[in-house]
Amino acid sequence: KAKAKAKEAEAKAQEAEAVERTQKEIVKAKVKKVEAKAKEAEAKAQEAEAVERTQNAIVVAKAKEAEVKAKEGEREQAAQVDDSPGIAAAWFAPFDHVPTADELPSLLRVPLAEKICMPQLADAFPQVTARDGRRSYMLSAVIIALVQGLFADSTNELGNVALLDTVVSSPFIIANRNSGEGSLRPDAYCKVNGVIVFKGEDKREASALNDAIAELSWKSCAWNTLFMGELPFMLCYASAGNLMQFGVQKPGRVTMFPNLRFNLKLTQDRIAAFTCAINCCRVIGTLATHGKVAAQLHLYDTFKNDTCEVTIETGFVRKEVHLSWCVALGGSTVCFLTTGVTP
């Protein structure tokens, strides 16, 4: 009986031990299951984080792409803006003081206040062009004409005049060319407020430059305050063939500037001469701003009525009387010249 009880107790102990082992195994299985779920959750979290990072990277990349496109669009839009008025205003701005004639040789060589954005020419012609900045399609056309020099190799007078007009008349849009009204008139001149402030003489052959300079003097009346007012000097140029030179006329004489002589067959000289012409406009604008450009009589102006015309010429006054009422004279015109005009 005792043995039977001992065996029964041993069997119960073994059973309890088996139950315990089973419970431990169940607990281990549950722990493993929980760990597996935790790892699975961690993996999903890492995957979600990776997806989020990828999405964020895509958003950032798209934002950068949009920013680049916006900047490109701004640059393209800026490239389409023609700021000719702004650049011209900078080019032609008056100087800060009324210059003297002695300052002109250096003042007329002052670089342009602003360069035009023309990347294709910036390296070759840095005096007037740049890789960036404001654009001007109108002024760019002038620069291209200067660079190309279409009439630089011309051997006839028409080609010489066309080349000269590119260099000088482009800035002086109100310049006049003598069309034969009188041999005492300069070949080219510019009037502001009725006063001649700039003039030029042209010759066909390069060897005749001194003749053109001489004509600047004798194609001028005495410095008359009726015509010149308080103008301290008159800017001028002489050209012959491919050569041109800037100078100044003061009461009594014409002085040419040795450092402002250019060979218009050379591109750099054309650009330098164009810069001088721009600065001539600036000098004239400065004089006008300070009230130095005004006169009582306007040289070369014509006054008309029904029966006659009166023109103020260099050194004389021309009066034409129309005789339309006189049948015997066939309705012709009689011209009277009065010389020796004085204040």
Side-chain angles (χ1 to χ4, degrees):
K1 189 174 181 180
K3 288 182 180 178
K5 286 183 178 181
K7 285 183 181 181
E8 183 181 355
E10 183 180 357
K12 285 183 179 179
Q14 290 177 350
E15 183 180 356
E17 184 179 350
V19 169
E20 185 179 358
R21 282 198 304 268
T22 302
Q23 289 177 343
K24 286 181 178 180
E25 288 177 358
I26 292 172
V27 169
K28 286 182 180 179
K30 286 182 178 180
V31 169
K32 287 183 178 179
K33 189 175 182 180
V34 170
E35 289 178 351
K37 286 184 177 180
K39 288 182 179 179
E40 183 180 356
E42 183 180 359
K44 287 183 178 180
Q46 291 176 349
E47 183 181 356
E49 186 179 351
V51 170
E52 185 177 0
R53 284 198 302 268
T54 302
Q55 289 176 343
N56 289 338
I58 293 173
V59 170
V60 171
K62 287 184 177 180
K64 288 183 178 180
E65 184 180 359
E67 184 179 357
V68 170
K69 287 184 177 180
K71 289 182 178 179
E72 289 178 354
E74 289 175 1
R75 285 196 294 268
E76 290 177 0
Q77 186 175 4
Q80 298 300 322
V81 174
D82 187 338
D83 202 1
S84 296
I87 297 175
W91 279 10
F92 292 97
F95 290 104
D96 57 3
H97 69 285
V98 176
T100 64
D102 294 335
E103 293 179 275
L104 294 176
S106 59
L107 207 59
L108 296 184
R109 295 201 73 115
V110 171
L112 297 180
E114 186 167 348
K115 299 177 182 181
I116 301 176
C117 179
M118 299 179 69
Q120 70 276 21
L121 299 177
D123 293 337
F125 307 104
Q127 311 96 309
V128 291
T129 60
R131 290 191 171 276
D132 50 21
R134 294 195 289 182
R135 293 177 179 267
S136 168
Y137 299 111
M138 179 182 71
L139 298 177
S140 294
V142 176
I143 300 302
I144 291 173
L146 289 172
V147 171
Q148 291 179 340
L150 297 179
F151 298 96
D153 297 325
S154 175
T155 57
N156 59 65
E157 186 173 2
L158 183 61
N160 291 340
V161 171
L163 178 61
L164 189 66
D165 282 347
T166 302
V167 174
V168 177
S169 294
S170 294
F172 287 94
I173 58 174
I174 55 174
N176 300 276
R177 285 212 165 270
N178 187 357
S179 57
E181 294 91 340
S183 59
L184 292 180
R185 293 192 182 188
D187 292 334
Y189 60 91
C190 173
K191 298 174 75 175
V192 174
N193 297 336
V195 180
I196 297 179
V197 292
F198 182 83
K199 66 178 183 178
E201 288 295 335
D202 308 318
K203 291 297 178 183
R204 186 175 190 177
E205 301 295 334
S207 58
L209 183 62
N210 289 333
D211 295 338
I213 294 173
E215 286 192 13
L216 285 173
S217 297
W218 67 260
K219 279 191 179 181
S220 302
C221 61
W223 198 273
N224 192 321
T225 55
L226 282 175
F227 306 138
M228 312 308 294
E230 298 182 18
L231 192 70
F233 52 77
M234 181 193 302
L235 293 161
C236 59
Y237 78 87
S239 74
N242 57 291
L243 300 178
M244 78 165 298
Q245 189 171 1
F246 287 91
V248 63
Q249 179 183 351
K250 295 186 291 185
R253 71 180 188 278
V254 171
T255 302
M256 306 306 291
F257 302 133
N259 68 321
L260 300 182
R261 182 171 177 173
F262 304 103
N263 181 353
L264 300 185
K265 285 189 175 182
L266 305 178
T267 304
Q268 299 293 353
D269 274 23
R270 289 195 295 273
I271 292 175
F274 177 78
T275 302
C276 284
I278 294 287
N279 287 323
C280 284
C281 292
R282 295 184 65 191
V283 170
I284 293 168
T286 305
L287 295 175
T289 301
H290 288 80
K292 302 294 184 180
V293 184
Q296 294 174 305
L297 293 177
H298 298 166
L299 202 59
Y300 309 142
D301 278 7
T302 298
F303 307 93
K304 300 180 181 180
N305 62 21
D306 294 337
T307 60
C308 69
E309 297 181 4
V310 176
T311 304
I312 302 173
E313 292 285 356
T314 306
F316 64 92
V317 174
R318 180 177 62 195
K319 180 178 181 181
E320 297 182 359
V321 180
H322 305 297
L323 302 179
S324 56
W325 49 270
C326 184
V327 179
L329 293 176
S332 60
T333 300
V334 177
C335 182
F336 300 92
L337 303 181
T338 304
T339 60
V341 180
T342 57

